[in-house]
Amino acid sequence: MSFKRVFIKMNDVKKKQTLDPVKNKFNRRVLFPTFLYDIKVAEAAELNTRLLQDIYKERELDEKGLQRSNLKGLGGWHSKNSLHQKDEFRPLANKIVRAGDRISSNLGYNPEFRLAIGQMWTIVNPPGSANRAHIHPNCLWSGVYYVQTPEKSGDIEFIDPRTQNLAHQPAFHSGQKRLPATVPVAQITPSAGQMLIFPNWLYHSVAPNLSTDTEEKADRIVIAFNLIQVRKQRQTK
Ligand SMILES: [Fe+2]
């Protein structure tokens, strides 16, 4: 794949895309935004019932799992990275690829390419477990689909990727609602059936699972994935 350096003259960008009027002749432009796609997956309840069974079956087969952002000592289990190649995870994999198609078109990617799943895995966090801050190498986009999210089982937290911005923070008006774009850490309390897709370079972590539910109902369960841009297969005659 070849890349060329692209420059955009901001004066030529349509006002409504980047300008937020503050007052007359005083505008706030938005440069270099971080996109996070938030998707409500259709018919998630039925899908999740099946996924739950398949995920626990997977854990029985591979109790050791992998050590990544999960903290094994606290009980967090991370499966192998090839779930998308297994038939039982195909229905979810198809939904992820369809979401990738919409993102490609939303961002104006070359239609000869598509976002394909490079890796897909599951993480089971029982009470007390969490995930360290990390990024996902070797892909363009990363995502997570929520299968089971008991109350207080851990928000996902995204950290401002502009590290220079973190070096010195201004004092904000305590009586005013903070503009979402000015916060250094953005938290999302996920719900089952929700899918988030974000750039691979965006640091994120998961807060400890403080669920007070009992046994497996207390587990926070996700399927995570990486998306890579690949050339579409040519149609064979
Ligand atoms: Fe992650």
PDB file of all heavy atoms in Angstrom, residues 4 71 81 90 124-125 148 178 195:
ATOM      1  N   LYS A   4       0.454   8.862   0.463  1.00  0.00           N
ATOM      2  CA  LYS A   4       0.993  10.172   0.130  1.00  0.00           C
ATOM      3  C   LYS A   4       0.585  11.127   1.225  1.00  0.00           C
ATOM      4  O   LYS A   4      -0.454  10.948   1.870  1.00  0.00           O
ATOM      5  CB  LYS A   4       0.527  10.627  -1.241  1.00  0.00           C
ATOM      6  CG  LYS A   4      -0.957  10.726  -1.417  1.00  0.00           C
ATOM      7  CD  LYS A   4      -1.282  11.188  -2.813  1.00  0.00           C
ATOM      8  CE  LYS A   4      -2.803  11.237  -2.952  1.00  0.00           C
ATOM      9  NZ  LYS A   4      -3.263  11.279  -4.291  1.00  0.00           N
ATOM     10  N   LEU A  71      -5.104  -9.202  34.200  1.00  0.00           N
ATOM     11  CA  LEU A  71      -4.239  -9.503  35.343  1.00  0.00           C
ATOM     12  C   LEU A  71      -4.618 -10.890  35.840  1.00  0.00           C
ATOM     13  O   LEU A  71      -5.594 -11.064  36.563  1.00  0.00           O
ATOM     14  CB  LEU A  71      -4.437  -8.437  36.424  1.00  0.00           C
ATOM     15  CG  LEU A  71      -4.033  -7.031  35.943  1.00  0.00           C
ATOM     16  CD1 LEU A  71      -4.705  -5.952  36.736  1.00  0.00           C
ATOM     17  CD2 LEU A  71      -2.527  -6.873  35.967  1.00  0.00           C
ATOM     18  N   ASN A  81      -6.296 -15.622  20.304  1.00  0.00           N
ATOM     19  CA  ASN A  81      -6.677 -14.470  19.474  1.00  0.00           C
ATOM     20  C   ASN A  81      -7.361 -14.816  18.152  1.00  0.00           C
ATOM     21  O   ASN A  81      -7.437 -13.987  17.263  1.00  0.00           O
ATOM     22  CB  ASN A  81      -5.419 -13.646  19.159  1.00  0.00           C
ATOM     23  CG  ASN A  81      -4.948 -12.876  20.366  1.00  0.00           C
ATOM     24  OD1 ASN A  81      -5.763 -12.406  21.147  1.00  0.00           O
ATOM     25  ND2 ASN A  81      -3.642 -12.772  20.525  1.00  0.00           N
ATOM     26  N   ARG A  90     -18.915 -16.872  14.381  1.00  0.00           N
ATOM     27  CA  ARG A  90     -19.135 -16.288  13.047  1.00  0.00           C
ATOM     28  C   ARG A  90     -20.246 -15.218  13.039  1.00  0.00           C
ATOM     29  O   ARG A  90     -20.068 -14.146  12.459  1.00  0.00           O
ATOM     30  CB  ARG A  90     -19.429 -17.430  12.055  1.00  0.00           C
ATOM     31  CG  ARG A  90     -19.734 -17.050  10.625  1.00  0.00           C
ATOM     32  CD  ARG A  90     -18.672 -16.304   9.889  1.00  0.00           C
ATOM     33  NE  ARG A  90     -17.305 -16.766  10.120  1.00  0.00           N
ATOM     34  CZ  ARG A  90     -16.222 -16.014   9.893  1.00  0.00           C
ATOM     35  NH1 ARG A  90     -16.354 -14.796   9.428  1.00  0.00           N
ATOM     36  NH2 ARG A  90     -15.028 -16.489  10.117  1.00  0.00           N
ATOM     37  N   VAL A 124     -12.723 -12.601  30.174  1.00  0.00           N
ATOM     38  CA  VAL A 124     -13.668 -12.780  31.282  1.00  0.00           C
ATOM     39  C   VAL A 124     -13.013 -12.189  32.533  1.00  0.00           C
ATOM     40  O   VAL A 124     -11.940 -12.635  32.950  1.00  0.00           O
ATOM     41  CB  VAL A 124     -13.990 -14.278  31.502  1.00  0.00           C
ATOM     42  CG1 VAL A 124     -14.948 -14.443  32.688  1.00  0.00           C
ATOM     43  CG2 VAL A 124     -14.592 -14.893  30.236  1.00  0.00           C
ATOM     44  N   ASN A 125     -13.649 -11.152  33.077  1.00  0.00           N
ATOM     45  CA  ASN A 125     -13.149 -10.514  34.303  1.00  0.00           C
ATOM     46  C   ASN A 125     -14.083 -10.833  35.459  1.00  0.00           C
ATOM     47  O   ASN A 125     -15.166 -10.249  35.561  1.00  0.00           O
ATOM     48  CB  ASN A 125     -13.111  -8.988  34.138  1.00  0.00           C
ATOM     49  CG  ASN A 125     -11.836  -8.491  33.500  1.00  0.00           C
ATOM     50  OD1 ASN A 125     -11.011  -9.279  33.054  1.00  0.00           O
ATOM     51  ND2 ASN A 125     -11.685  -7.184  33.435  1.00  0.00           N
ATOM     52  N   GLN A 148     -21.640  -9.490  28.630  1.00  0.00           N
ATOM     53  CA  GLN A 148     -22.268  -9.439  29.959  1.00  0.00           C
ATOM     54  C   GLN A 148     -21.597  -8.344  30.777  1.00  0.00           C
ATOM     55  O   GLN A 148     -20.368  -8.339  30.920  1.00  0.00           O
ATOM     56  CB  GLN A 148     -22.114 -10.794  30.663  1.00  0.00           C
ATOM     57  CG  GLN A 148     -22.770 -10.844  32.040  1.00  0.00           C
ATOM     58  CD  GLN A 148     -22.828 -12.250  32.617  1.00  0.00           C
ATOM     59  OE1 GLN A 148     -23.684 -13.041  32.256  1.00  0.00           O
ATOM     60  NE2 GLN A 148     -21.910 -12.547  33.507  1.00  0.00           N
ATOM     61  N   ARG A 178     -18.173  20.588  32.272  1.00  0.00           N
ATOM     62  CA  ARG A 178     -16.931  20.529  31.491  1.00  0.00           C
ATOM     63  C   ARG A 178     -17.237  20.072  30.066  1.00  0.00           C
ATOM     64  O   ARG A 178     -18.010  19.132  29.867  1.00  0.00           O
ATOM     65  CB  ARG A 178     -16.009  19.522  32.187  1.00  0.00           C
ATOM     66  CG  ARG A 178     -14.637  19.398  31.637  1.00  0.00           C
ATOM     67  CD  ARG A 178     -13.629  20.304  32.281  1.00  0.00           C
ATOM     68  NE  ARG A 178     -12.316  19.853  31.825  1.00  0.00           N
ATOM     69  CZ  ARG A 178     -11.416  19.279  32.591  1.00  0.00           C
ATOM     70  NH1 ARG A 178     -11.663  19.117  33.881  1.00  0.00           N
ATOM     71  NH2 ARG A 178     -10.264  18.883  32.089  1.00  0.00           N
ATOM     72  N   MET A 195     -21.322  -2.117  21.135  1.00  0.00           N
ATOM     73  CA  MET A 195     -20.012  -2.331  20.496  1.00  0.00           C
ATOM     74  C   MET A 195     -19.324  -0.978  20.366  1.00  0.00           C
ATOM     75  O   MET A 195     -19.954   0.001  19.946  1.00  0.00           O
ATOM     76  CB  MET A 195     -20.204  -2.962  19.107  1.00  0.00           C
ATOM     77  CG  MET A 195     -18.909  -3.398  18.436  1.00  0.00           C
ATOM     78  SD  MET A 195     -19.141  -3.911  16.711  1.00  0.00           S
ATOM     79  CE  MET A 195     -20.062  -5.421  16.882  1.00  0.00           C
TER      80      MET A 195
END
